[in-house]
Amino acid sequence: MGAFHPDSEFMQALGRVADFVILNVLCVLFSLPVVTAGAAMTAKYYVSMKIIRGEEPVVFQAFWRSFRDNFKQATMIWLPALVILLVLAWDWYAVVYGDSQGMPAAGRILLLVMTLLVCMVIYAVFPFLARFQMSTSEALKGAMVFCFLHFPKMLLVLLVIALPYVLALWYIEWALGLWFFITTVALYYISRMFVKEFKKIEKEEQL
């Protein structure tokens, strides 16, 4: 069987890459109203984790179903989270450019740690919604525990997420290509990590 046969490993891998690219584009498009970003991220990870588990969903249909079904709960989490992120962004603006430039080093470190933890929890909660049927409080609690137990992995997740945007500022002419490549690799890595860790949670629940 040749490499370009539809059932070959090469073509299957190429198909998965295309699915991840489509998922990232769908997530961006469905996040454009801003208030829908939480539901869009939930849908993205709902489909990407299915792909990692080998379930081969029809990407757009599965994305739309998750977006629709989780919209209310994901938005109820996202809107307060967005307010918190804006407050933190304002604090950092004040530290770098505004009245808080003279903040002691200890204060800046505390603000940095708080920002990282908040971003980790906000990012982790949507894969929880995508994988488990749980209340909002349970999803937030699960995300917080997950982030504390896997702090190095979640720190790497934040770095990987920020990387394409940082590089795009440095290499404007390659911005689109860098975004597609890095976000595709990042989605694969992050989804695989969550699938692996969620399997451990599911096994513990079955005991």
Side-chain angles (χ1 to χ4, degrees), residues 159-184:
L159 292 175
V160 169
I161 293 168
L163 184 61
Y165 302 97
V166 174
L167 290 178
L169 292 176
W170 289 346
Y171 304 100
I172 299 295
E173 66 275 18
W174 301 101
L176 188 60
L178 286 169
W179 185 87
F180 275 112
F181 176 75
I182 298 175
T183 56
T184 300

PDB file of all heavy atoms in Angstrom, residues 159-184:
ATOM      1  N   LEU A 159       3.022  28.589  28.013  1.00  0.00           N
ATOM      2  CA  LEU A 159       4.120  29.051  27.162  1.00  0.00           C
ATOM      3  C   LEU A 159       3.874  28.680  25.705  1.00  0.00           C
ATOM      4  O   LEU A 159       4.096  29.488  24.797  1.00  0.00           O
ATOM      5  CB  LEU A 159       5.445  28.451  27.643  1.00  0.00           C
ATOM      6  CG  LEU A 159       5.956  28.952  28.997  1.00  0.00           C
ATOM      7  CD1 LEU A 159       7.209  28.175  29.413  1.00  0.00           C
ATOM      8  CD2 LEU A 159       6.259  30.437  28.947  1.00  0.00           C
ATOM      9  N   VAL A 160       3.398  27.452  25.491  1.00  0.00           N
ATOM     10  CA  VAL A 160       3.125  26.988  24.126  1.00  0.00           C
ATOM     11  C   VAL A 160       1.999  27.803  23.498  1.00  0.00           C
ATOM     12  O   VAL A 160       2.034  28.130  22.308  1.00  0.00           O
ATOM     13  CB  VAL A 160       2.776  25.490  24.140  1.00  0.00           C
ATOM     14  CG1 VAL A 160       2.222  25.049  22.784  1.00  0.00           C
ATOM     15  CG2 VAL A 160       4.014  24.657  24.474  1.00  0.00           C
ATOM     16  N   ILE A 161       0.980  28.134  24.303  1.00  0.00           N
ATOM     17  CA  ILE A 161      -0.144  28.923  23.792  1.00  0.00           C
ATOM     18  C   ILE A 161       0.305  30.327  23.393  1.00  0.00           C
ATOM     19  O   ILE A 161      -0.125  30.879  22.377  1.00  0.00           O
ATOM     20  CB  ILE A 161      -1.257  29.008  24.852  1.00  0.00           C
ATOM     21  CG1 ILE A 161      -1.881  27.632  25.077  1.00  0.00           C
ATOM     22  CG2 ILE A 161      -2.340  30.004  24.435  1.00  0.00           C
ATOM     23  CD1 ILE A 161      -2.764  27.566  26.300  1.00  0.00           C
ATOM     24  N   ALA A 162       1.187  30.917  24.204  1.00  0.00           N
ATOM     25  CA  ALA A 162       1.636  32.285  23.933  1.00  0.00           C
ATOM     26  C   ALA A 162       2.663  32.356  22.803  1.00  0.00           C
ATOM     27  O   ALA A 162       2.792  33.404  22.148  1.00  0.00           O
ATOM     28  CB  ALA A 162       2.234  32.889  25.208  1.00  0.00           C
ATOM     29  N   LEU A 163       3.377  31.258  22.573  1.00  0.00           N
ATOM     30  CA  LEU A 163       4.502  31.264  21.633  1.00  0.00           C
ATOM     31  C   LEU A 163       4.157  31.770  20.232  1.00  0.00           C
ATOM     32  O   LEU A 163       4.883  32.626  19.698  1.00  0.00           O
ATOM     33  CB  LEU A 163       5.114  29.859  21.559  1.00  0.00           C
ATOM     34  CG  LEU A 163       6.363  29.720  20.684  1.00  0.00           C
ATOM     35  CD1 LEU A 163       7.485  30.616  21.214  1.00  0.00           C
ATOM     36  CD2 LEU A 163       6.818  28.258  20.639  1.00  0.00           C
ATOM     37  N   PRO A 164       3.093  31.278  19.584  1.00  0.00           N
ATOM     38  CA  PRO A 164       2.837  31.742  18.201  1.00  0.00           C
ATOM     39  C   PRO A 164       2.575  33.234  18.111  1.00  0.00           C
ATOM     40  O   PRO A 164       2.924  33.868  17.098  1.00  0.00           O
ATOM     41  CB  PRO A 164       1.593  30.940  17.780  1.00  0.00           C
ATOM     42  CG  PRO A 164       0.960  30.491  19.045  1.00  0.00           C
ATOM     43  CD  PRO A 164       2.093  30.282  19.997  1.00  0.00           C
ATOM     44  N   TYR A 165       1.984  33.822  19.148  1.00  0.00           N
ATOM     45  CA  TYR A 165       1.671  35.250  19.108  1.00  0.00           C
ATOM     46  C   TYR A 165       2.925  36.087  19.355  1.00  0.00           C
ATOM     47  O   TYR A 165       3.097  37.147  18.743  1.00  0.00           O
ATOM     48  CB  TYR A 165       0.583  35.563  20.137  1.00  0.00           C
ATOM     49  CG  TYR A 165      -0.662  34.755  19.904  1.00  0.00           C
ATOM     50  CD1 TYR A 165      -0.912  33.578  20.613  1.00  0.00           C
ATOM     51  CD2 TYR A 165      -1.586  35.127  18.933  1.00  0.00           C
ATOM     52  CE1 TYR A 165      -2.046  32.813  20.377  1.00  0.00           C
ATOM     53  CE2 TYR A 165      -2.727  34.369  18.686  1.00  0.00           C
ATOM     54  CZ  TYR A 165      -2.941  33.211  19.410  1.00  0.00           C
ATOM     55  OH  TYR A 165      -4.064  32.447  19.174  1.00  0.00           O
ATOM     56  N   VAL A 166       3.809  35.593  20.227  1.00  0.00           N
ATOM     57  CA  VAL A 166       5.067  36.291  20.468  1.00  0.00           C
ATOM     58  C   VAL A 166       5.936  36.254  19.221  1.00  0.00           C
ATOM     59  O   VAL A 166       6.492  37.278  18.791  1.00  0.00           O
ATOM     60  CB  VAL A 166       5.810  35.664  21.664  1.00  0.00           C
ATOM     61  CG1 VAL A 166       7.190  36.293  21.825  1.00  0.00           C
ATOM     62  CG2 VAL A 166       5.003  35.835  22.947  1.00  0.00           C
ATOM     63  N   LEU A 167       6.054  35.062  18.620  1.00  0.00           N
ATOM     64  CA  LEU A 167       6.872  34.933  17.411  1.00  0.00           C
ATOM     65  C   LEU A 167       6.291  35.728  16.248  1.00  0.00           C
ATOM     66  O   LEU A 167       7.030  36.276  15.434  1.00  0.00           O
ATOM     67  CB  LEU A 167       6.987  33.456  17.023  1.00  0.00           C
ATOM     68  CG  LEU A 167       7.832  32.582  17.945  1.00  0.00           C
ATOM     69  CD1 LEU A 167       7.823  31.135  17.464  1.00  0.00           C
ATOM     70  CD2 LEU A 167       9.267  33.093  18.030  1.00  0.00           C
ATOM     71  N   ALA A 168       4.968  35.803  16.188  1.00  0.00           N
ATOM     72  CA  ALA A 168       4.320  36.557  15.105  1.00  0.00           C
ATOM     73  C   ALA A 168       4.686  38.039  15.172  1.00  0.00           C
ATOM     74  O   ALA A 168       4.800  38.708  14.138  1.00  0.00           O
ATOM     75  CB  ALA A 168       2.813  36.376  15.172  1.00  0.00           C
ATOM     76  N   LEU A 169       4.872  38.560  16.400  1.00  0.00           N
ATOM     77  CA  LEU A 169       5.275  39.960  16.544  1.00  0.00           C
ATOM     78  C   LEU A 169       6.696  40.186  16.056  1.00  0.00           C
ATOM     79  O   LEU A 169       7.030  41.263  15.550  1.00  0.00           O
ATOM     80  CB  LEU A 169       5.141  40.382  18.013  1.00  0.00           C
ATOM     81  CG  LEU A 169       3.713  40.460  18.571  1.00  0.00           C
ATOM     82  CD1 LEU A 169       3.749  40.782  20.061  1.00  0.00           C
ATOM     83  CD2 LEU A 169       2.895  41.505  17.829  1.00  0.00           C
ATOM     84  N   TRP A 170       7.537  39.174  16.215  1.00  0.00           N
ATOM     85  CA  TRP A 170       8.927  39.291  15.776  1.00  0.00           C
ATOM     86  C   TRP A 170       9.088  39.056  14.278  1.00  0.00           C
ATOM     87  O   TRP A 170       9.931  39.660  13.634  1.00  0.00           O
ATOM     88  CB  TRP A 170       9.805  38.293  16.543  1.00  0.00           C
ATOM     89  CG  TRP A 170      10.012  38.651  17.980  1.00  0.00           C
ATOM     90  CD1 TRP A 170       9.738  39.847  18.576  1.00  0.00           C
ATOM     91  CD2 TRP A 170      10.536  37.814  19.010  1.00  0.00           C
ATOM     92  NE1 TRP A 170      10.048  39.809  19.913  1.00  0.00           N
ATOM     93  CE2 TRP A 170      10.548  38.574  20.215  1.00  0.00           C
ATOM     94  CE3 TRP A 170      10.989  36.504  19.053  1.00  0.00           C
ATOM     95  CZ2 TRP A 170      11.001  38.061  21.419  1.00  0.00           C
ATOM     96  CZ3 TRP A 170      11.450  35.991  20.260  1.00  0.00           C
ATOM     97  CH2 TRP A 170      11.449  36.761  21.423  1.00  0.00           C
ATOM     98  N   TYR A 171       8.285  38.138  13.750  1.00  0.00           N
ATOM     99  CA  TYR A 171       8.406  37.768  12.336  1.00  0.00           C
ATOM    100  C   TYR A 171       7.050  37.986  11.662  1.00  0.00           C
ATOM    101  O   TYR A 171       6.331  37.029  11.357  1.00  0.00           O
ATOM    102  CB  TYR A 171       8.850  36.311  12.205  1.00  0.00           C
ATOM    103  CG  TYR A 171      10.130  35.993  12.937  1.00  0.00           C
ATOM    104  CD1 TYR A 171      10.106  35.364  14.183  1.00  0.00           C
ATOM    105  CD2 TYR A 171      11.372  36.335  12.401  1.00  0.00           C
ATOM    106  CE1 TYR A 171      11.273  35.071  14.870  1.00  0.00           C
ATOM    107  CE2 TYR A 171      12.547  36.053  13.075  1.00  0.00           C
ATOM    108  CZ  TYR A 171      12.483  35.417  14.312  1.00  0.00           C
ATOM    109  OH  TYR A 171      13.647  35.133  14.982  1.00  0.00           O
ATOM    110  N   ILE A 172       6.734  39.238  11.429  1.00  0.00           N
ATOM    111  CA  ILE A 172       5.425  39.596  10.889  1.00  0.00           C
ATOM    112  C   ILE A 172       5.154  38.910   9.557  1.00  0.00           C
ATOM    113  O   ILE A 172       4.033  38.444   9.296  1.00  0.00           O
ATOM    114  CB  ILE A 172       5.317  41.129  10.722  1.00  0.00           C
ATOM    115  CG1 ILE A 172       5.462  41.836  12.074  1.00  0.00           C
ATOM    116  CG2 ILE A 172       4.000  41.500  10.055  1.00  0.00           C
ATOM    117  CD1 ILE A 172       4.348  41.527  13.049  1.00  0.00           C
ATOM    118  N   GLU A 173       6.175  38.815   8.721  1.00  0.00           N
ATOM    119  CA  GLU A 173       5.961  38.255   7.384  1.00  0.00           C
ATOM    120  C   GLU A 173       5.637  36.761   7.428  1.00  0.00           C
ATOM    121  O   GLU A 173       5.057  36.214   6.497  1.00  0.00           O
ATOM    122  CB  GLU A 173       7.193  38.499   6.502  1.00  0.00           C
ATOM    123  CG  GLU A 173       8.458  37.768   6.932  1.00  0.00           C
ATOM    124  CD  GLU A 173       9.247  38.530   8.001  1.00  0.00           C
ATOM    125  OE1 GLU A 173       8.670  39.422   8.630  1.00  0.00           O
ATOM    126  OE2 GLU A 173      10.431  38.212   8.183  1.00  0.00           O
ATOM    127  N   TRP A 174       6.024  36.100   8.534  1.00  0.00           N
ATOM    128  CA  TRP A 174       5.749  34.667   8.688  1.00  0.00           C
ATOM    129  C   TRP A 174       4.639  34.414   9.702  1.00  0.00           C
ATOM    130  O   TRP A 174       4.424  33.270  10.116  1.00  0.00           O
ATOM    131  CB  TRP A 174       7.018  33.933   9.132  1.00  0.00           C
ATOM    132  CG  TRP A 174       8.160  34.069   8.183  1.00  0.00           C
ATOM    133  CD1 TRP A 174       9.237  34.894   8.300  1.00  0.00           C
ATOM    134  CD2 TRP A 174       8.334  33.367   6.961  1.00  0.00           C
ATOM    135  NE1 TRP A 174      10.076  34.757   7.239  1.00  0.00           N
ATOM    136  CE2 TRP A 174       9.543  33.822   6.393  1.00  0.00           C
ATOM    137  CE3 TRP A 174       7.582  32.405   6.274  1.00  0.00           C
ATOM    138  CZ2 TRP A 174      10.005  33.336   5.170  1.00  0.00           C
ATOM    139  CZ3 TRP A 174       8.058  31.915   5.066  1.00  0.00           C
ATOM    140  CH2 TRP A 174       9.257  32.387   4.532  1.00  0.00           C
ATOM    141  N   ALA A 175       3.938  35.453  10.111  1.00  0.00           N
ATOM    142  CA  ALA A 175       2.996  35.344  11.230  1.00  0.00           C
ATOM    143  C   ALA A 175       1.932  34.265  11.008  1.00  0.00           C
ATOM    144  O   ALA A 175       1.693  33.430  11.893  1.00  0.00           O
ATOM    145  CB  ALA A 175       2.322  36.694  11.475  1.00  0.00           C
ATOM    146  N   LEU A 176       1.304  34.260   9.832  1.00  0.00           N
ATOM    147  CA  LEU A 176       0.209  33.314   9.594  1.00  0.00           C
ATOM    148  C   LEU A 176       0.715  31.872   9.581  1.00  0.00           C
ATOM    149  O   LEU A 176       0.105  30.987  10.192  1.00  0.00           O
ATOM    150  CB  LEU A 176      -0.485  33.642   8.270  1.00  0.00           C
ATOM    151  CG  LEU A 176      -1.778  32.865   7.982  1.00  0.00           C
ATOM    152  CD1 LEU A 176      -2.816  33.141   9.070  1.00  0.00           C
ATOM    153  CD2 LEU A 176      -2.333  33.240   6.613  1.00  0.00           C
ATOM    154  N   GLY A 177       1.828  31.649   8.896  1.00  0.00           N
ATOM    155  CA  GLY A 177       2.396  30.305   8.837  1.00  0.00           C
ATOM    156  C   GLY A 177       2.821  29.810  10.211  1.00  0.00           C
ATOM    157  O   GLY A 177       2.585  28.648  10.567  1.00  0.00           O
ATOM    158  N   LEU A 178       3.460  30.696  10.986  1.00  0.00           N
ATOM    159  CA  LEU A 178       3.860  30.336  12.345  1.00  0.00           C
ATOM    160  C   LEU A 178       2.655  30.005  13.203  1.00  0.00           C
ATOM    161  O   LEU A 178       2.670  29.053  13.989  1.00  0.00           O
ATOM    162  CB  LEU A 178       4.654  31.486  12.985  1.00  0.00           C
ATOM    163  CG  LEU A 178       6.077  31.692  12.482  1.00  0.00           C
ATOM    164  CD1 LEU A 178       6.638  33.011  13.006  1.00  0.00           C
ATOM    165  CD2 LEU A 178       6.970  30.534  12.912  1.00  0.00           C
ATOM    166  N   TRP A 179       1.587  30.810  13.056  1.00  0.00           N
ATOM    167  CA  TRP A 179       0.389  30.572  13.856  1.00  0.00           C
ATOM    168  C   TRP A 179      -0.199  29.200  13.544  1.00  0.00           C
ATOM    169  O   TRP A 179      -0.518  28.436  14.452  1.00  0.00           O
ATOM    170  CB  TRP A 179      -0.644  31.662  13.590  1.00  0.00           C
ATOM    171  CG  TRP A 179      -1.845  31.537  14.472  1.00  0.00           C
ATOM    172  CD1 TRP A 179      -2.016  32.046  15.715  1.00  0.00           C
ATOM    173  CD2 TRP A 179      -3.052  30.801  14.169  1.00  0.00           C
ATOM    174  NE1 TRP A 179      -3.253  31.698  16.221  1.00  0.00           N
ATOM    175  CE2 TRP A 179      -3.908  30.940  15.294  1.00  0.00           C
ATOM    176  CE3 TRP A 179      -3.493  30.080  13.071  1.00  0.00           C
ATOM    177  CZ2 TRP A 179      -5.164  30.351  15.338  1.00  0.00           C
ATOM    178  CZ3 TRP A 179      -4.754  29.483  13.105  1.00  0.00           C
ATOM    179  CH2 TRP A 179      -5.570  29.629  14.239  1.00  0.00           C
ATOM    180  N   PHE A 180      -0.360  28.881  12.259  1.00  0.00           N
ATOM    181  CA  PHE A 180      -0.940  27.596  11.876  1.00  0.00           C
ATOM    182  C   PHE A 180      -0.085  26.438  12.387  1.00  0.00           C
ATOM    183  O   PHE A 180      -0.609  25.458  12.931  1.00  0.00           O
ATOM    184  CB  PHE A 180      -1.098  27.497  10.357  1.00  0.00           C
ATOM    185  CG  PHE A 180      -2.371  28.104   9.841  1.00  0.00           C
ATOM    186  CD1 PHE A 180      -2.361  29.252   9.074  1.00  0.00           C
ATOM    187  CD2 PHE A 180      -3.596  27.518  10.145  1.00  0.00           C
ATOM    188  CE1 PHE A 180      -3.543  29.812   8.604  1.00  0.00           C
ATOM    189  CE2 PHE A 180      -4.786  28.064   9.680  1.00  0.00           C
ATOM    190  CZ  PHE A 180      -4.752  29.210   8.911  1.00  0.00           C
ATOM    191  N   PHE A 181       1.222  26.533  12.196  1.00  0.00           N
ATOM    192  CA  PHE A 181       2.102  25.424  12.570  1.00  0.00           C
ATOM    193  C   PHE A 181       2.139  25.224  14.084  1.00  0.00           C
ATOM    194  O   PHE A 181       1.913  24.110  14.587  1.00  0.00           O
ATOM    195  CB  PHE A 181       3.526  25.676  12.047  1.00  0.00           C
ATOM    196  CG  PHE A 181       4.509  24.628  12.486  1.00  0.00           C
ATOM    197  CD1 PHE A 181       4.508  23.364  11.899  1.00  0.00           C
ATOM    198  CD2 PHE A 181       5.432  24.893  13.493  1.00  0.00           C
ATOM    199  CE1 PHE A 181       5.409  22.388  12.311  1.00  0.00           C
ATOM    200  CE2 PHE A 181       6.330  23.926  13.914  1.00  0.00           C
ATOM    201  CZ  PHE A 181       6.323  22.668  13.317  1.00  0.00           C
ATOM    202  N   ILE A 182       2.397  26.303  14.825  1.00  0.00           N
ATOM    203  CA  ILE A 182       2.583  26.163  16.272  1.00  0.00           C
ATOM    204  C   ILE A 182       1.275  25.825  16.968  1.00  0.00           C
ATOM    205  O   ILE A 182       1.243  24.994  17.888  1.00  0.00           O
ATOM    206  CB  ILE A 182       3.210  27.444  16.865  1.00  0.00           C
ATOM    207  CG1 ILE A 182       4.598  27.678  16.252  1.00  0.00           C
ATOM    208  CG2 ILE A 182       3.332  27.325  18.388  1.00  0.00           C
ATOM    209  CD1 ILE A 182       5.251  28.973  16.684  1.00  0.00           C
ATOM    210  N   THR A 183       0.174  26.442  16.559  1.00  0.00           N
ATOM    211  CA  THR A 183      -1.107  26.135  17.211  1.00  0.00           C
ATOM    212  C   THR A 183      -1.553  24.698  16.934  1.00  0.00           C
ATOM    213  O   THR A 183      -2.181  24.066  17.787  1.00  0.00           O
ATOM    214  CB  THR A 183      -2.218  27.103  16.768  1.00  0.00           C
ATOM    215  OG1 THR A 183      -2.332  27.085  15.332  1.00  0.00           O
ATOM    216  CG2 THR A 183      -1.936  28.514  17.240  1.00  0.00           C
ATOM    217  N   THR A 184      -1.204  24.173  15.765  1.00  0.00           N
ATOM    218  CA  THR A 184      -1.543  22.778  15.450  1.00  0.00           C
ATOM    219  C   THR A 184      -0.752  21.826  16.333  1.00  0.00           C
ATOM    220  O   THR A 184      -1.316  20.898  16.937  1.00  0.00           O
ATOM    221  CB  THR A 184      -1.260  22.474  13.972  1.00  0.00           C
ATOM    222  OG1 THR A 184      -2.051  23.332  13.152  1.00  0.00           O
ATOM    223  CG2 THR A 184      -1.592  21.024  13.635  1.00  0.00           C
TER     224      THR A 184
END
